[in-house]
Amino acid sequence: MPAQRMDGRRLAALYREKVKEEVLELKTQGISPRLVVVLVGSDPASLTYVQNKVKAAQEGAIRSEVLRFPETVREEELLETIARLSADDDVDGVLVQLPLPQGLDKEKVIEQIAPEKDVDGFTYQNVGRVMLGQSRALYPCTPQGIIALLDAYRIPLLGEEAVVVGRSDIVGRPVAQLLLSRHATVTIAHSKTRHLGEITRRAQVLIVAAGVRELITGDMVKEGAVVIDVGIHRRADGTLTGDVEADSVREKARLLSPVPGGVGPMTIAMLLLNTVKAARLRRGLPFHAPTIMFAE
Ligand code: GUN
């Protein structure tokens, strides 16, 4: 039986509804969460991502705006702006869209974000907290969205073999940490891994975030595995595909996240969730992460 499709769009919509309810509740207490997105340069893909984030935030009743800088901006000016946002009590979330244009020091820029407003979860403090399994961390959005997708489909993780293909700062490394915190047995493979298929075939849960088009084929997947495809690539004919060759993998897997409509929409939903989390935690209010599960 071909794999069931994991519906990231539907799950993201449910999370966004939940976040909106939470925002409206906060507003009754005089708290109106605000997210500021910083975009440097005019890369068209980044501009689209940023516009989508701001629009989604606004639809969730979160105040949100883009702060744009030309790619010729002086690093000092950018750092000063981020420091100002970090200190501004009327700002809950600060996100700097990556990649930054050449000549700007990504590390310096990210570290200028106050950790309690770092809704991308990219600062050392949040990275460290994720590594230590501390729940008050702001978790990076895509890894958090992947875990939410697995939870929605009630995929057991405790004691299970999980394999992550990819070791990026944004996805591979942190999702491995989150899986570890959920008591999975985690292997991280990557582009230099020898005999990749032997490793991936062990996985009950396979997360593919390698950035290589259709890297994972059906013969590399265990029968009945759950496969999450984090890649996104455009084919010559304009259609989208992922890091997984869906046609062959669908024949082996039990569940497969599609591209588009899988992880992508979850990333934005988790950004909104992080903005609410930041707004609550920095005021000393408790935050209980919601878990939404689909009916069995
Ligand atoms: N560029 C690609 N993915 C991301 C992301 O999740 N956050 C930011 N800020 N930039 C990105």
Side-chain angles (χ1 to χ4, degrees):
M1 206 166 53
Q4 186 188 351
R5 190 175 175 281
M6 300 175 89
D7 194 344
R9 265 194 204 116
R10 181 156 79 97
L11 185 63
L14 293 172
Y15 270 100
R16 285 171 60 174
E17 258 173 52
K18 188 117 192 142
V19 169
K20 185 173 182 175
E21 281 169 23
E22 177 69 17
V23 172
L24 295 176
E25 159 66 23
L26 278 173
K27 286 190 176 178
T28 67
Q29 300 175 46
I31 299 165
S32 177
R34 179 173 170 218
L35 168 67
V36 178
V37 180
V38 175
L39 174 63
V40 186
S42 49
D43 173 61
S46 287
L47 184 59
T48 305
Y49 288 137
V50 158
Q51 284 167 341
N52 288 342
K53 288 172 185 180
V54 168
K55 182 165 169 273
Q58 289 170 350
E59 285 169 6
I62 295 171
R63 290 181 295 151
S64 184
E65 75 247 21
V66 185
L67 214 50
R68 287 193 68 172
F69 291 91
E71 62 185 21
T72 52
V73 68
R74 277 184 313 118
E75 188 173 273
E76 226 167 279
E77 186 187 344
L78 188 61
L79 294 175
E80 277 167 20
T81 302
I82 297 168
R84 180 173 55 73
L85 295 169
S86 290
D88 184 344
D89 200 44
D90 194 36
V91 173
D92 296 290
V94 179
L95 180 160
V96 178
Q97 186 64 26
L98 301 177
L100 288 170
Q102 279 206 339
L104 293 170
D105 185 337
K106 178 179 99 174
E107 235 179 83
K108 258 196 197 162
V109 170
I110 296 296
E111 289 312 313
Q112 202 63 235
I113 302 171
E116 68 272 18
K117 298 185 180 183
D118 167 30
V119 286
D120 256 333
F122 288 173
T123 58
Y124 295 143
Q125 247 192 77
N126 283 309
V127 171
R129 283 186 173 153
V130 166
M131 183 137 199
L132 296 173
Q134 295 178 356
S135 60
R136 72 192 158 130
L138 289 168
Y139 301 122
C141 301
T142 301
Q144 201 180 342
I146 291 167
I147 300 292
L149 256 181
L150 294 170
D151 284 342
Y153 287 88
R154 300 161 193 269
I155 308 305
L157 294 171
L158 187 146
E160 298 292 335
E161 285 255 10
V163 174
V164 177
V165 185
R167 53 176 159 174
S168 68
D169 300 351
I170 298 184
V171 186
R173 290 170 198 246
V175 80
Q177 294 298 332
L178 295 183
L179 290 163
L180 194 57
S181 291
R182 296 287 296 271
H183 314 288
T185 301
V186 184
T187 303
I188 305 176
H190 49 80
S191 57
K192 306 278 193 296
T193 297
R194 273 191 266 279
H195 312 299
L196 180 60
E198 278 175 29
I199 311 269
T200 56
R201 268 192 297 276
R202 291 215 313 253
Q204 195 57 45
V205 174
L206 179 60
I207 315 286
V208 192
V212 179
R213 179 178 149 174
E214 295 173 359
L215 172 70
I216 302 297
T217 48
D219 58 309
M220 299 166 81
V221 172
K222 179 178 173 155
E223 190 80 41
V226 176
V227 181
I228 304 274
D229 187 354
V230 189
I232 185 153
H233 309 271
R234 197 172 286 280
R235 295 193 186 94
D237 67 1
T239 59
L240 295 174
T241 184
D243 285 2
V244 167
E245 189 188 72
D247 284 346
S248 60
V249 169
R250 206 178 284 121
E251 297 307 314
K252 296 287 280 296
R254 171 163 82 85
L255 282 161
L256 171 63
S257 76
V259 177
V263 171
M266 291 304 297
T267 296
I268 288 198
M270 295 300 117
L271 170 65
L272 308 187
L273 185 64
N274 272 354
T275 305
V276 168
K277 184 174 184 176
R280 292 189 67 94
L281 291 188
R282 75 184 192 89
R283 289 175 176 86
L285 298 170
F287 176 79
H288 303 289
T291 302
I292 297 174
M293 292 189 193
F294 289 139
E296 280 177 287

